[in-house]
Amino acid sequence: MQINLEVVDAVSRPAIFRVAYSGAEDRCLLQYPQVYDLQFLDPSENIAAEWGTRFLTSGPLDDFVLAPGSRIAFDLFASINSEPSTKALWSIELPSGNYSVRFVYHFEGERDWYDFLAKRSRFAAVTPIWRGTMISNTVSLMITDGSQ
């Protein structure tokens, strides 16, 4: 399986990234991607900053099924250098500069995901949960004067 990352819109606020899953050899169950799984790397390839929030919230841990030969993509809205809000719970502060951005999907553990939105695939009950770590390709992003 692989994850592909692309920048859809680097100019708008928030910036929009697209994460696409494909290449599954077997049917597998995955957790929906989260914006805080995006990592911004400086030119030395160190993580430039961590995501933060000012809100304590809870939410669903919904999942999706990826079938062999299928591709599914999600848009992530990254609030860069802006205050967290109820619409953008997670934000990241980045100084001006060039960054490499990658998406890191990681899941280990034994837990049930609650189907909060009642849209679970009919195959979820017979589909194994994918466990491990996948890292996407990297894309470039330039931040100028505190904005993307």
Side-chain angles (χ1 to χ4, degrees):
M1 182 168 23
Q2 66 183 29
I3 297 178
N4 185 59
L5 179 66
E6 66 179 288
V7 179
V8 175
D9 185 351
V11 178
S12 69
R13 294 191 125 213
I16 304 170
F17 294 86
R18 183 162 294 139
V19 177
Y21 297 76
S22 64
E25 293 181 16
D26 298 307
R27 181 180 299 279
C28 58
L29 193 66
L30 297 116
Q31 187 174 349
Y32 278 103
Q34 301 295 325
V35 71
Y36 51 76
D37 291 325
L38 290 170
Q39 291 182 342
F40 294 82
L41 308 173
D42 64 20
S44 300
E45 297 195 14
N46 296 312
I47 295 176
E50 297 289 338
W51 288 91
T53 187
R54 291 192 179 150
F55 300 94
L56 178 60
T57 63
S58 64
L61 294 174
D62 283 332
D63 48 49
F64 66 97
V65 172
L66 184 63
S70 296
R71 179 182 183 274
I72 187 166
F74 302 92
D75 287 351
L76 300 176
F77 298 86
S79 295
I80 301 170
N81 298 333
S82 60
E83 291 294 318
S85 69
T86 54
K87 289 185 179 183
L89 295 176
W90 294 94
S91 66
I92 193 166
E93 294 294 321
L94 297 169
S96 296
N98 292 315
Y99 295 91
S100 295
V101 186
R102 66 185 180 192
F103 182 83
V104 179
Y105 181 87
H106 177 79
F107 183 78
E108 295 293 337
E110 298 292 329
R111 70 173 180 213
D112 290 328
W113 293 332
Y114 176 66
D115 188 19
F116 182 78
L117 300 176
K119 60 181 183 179
R120 174 168 267 179
S121 166
R122 67 178 187 257
F123 299 109
V126 295
T127 304
I129 296 171
W130 189 92
R131 289 180 173 81
T133 301
M134 282 187 291
I135 300 174
S136 74
N137 59 302
T138 59
V139 295
S140 297
L141 183 71
M142 181 189 295
I143 304 292
T144 57
D145 298 323
S147 62
Q148 65 270 22

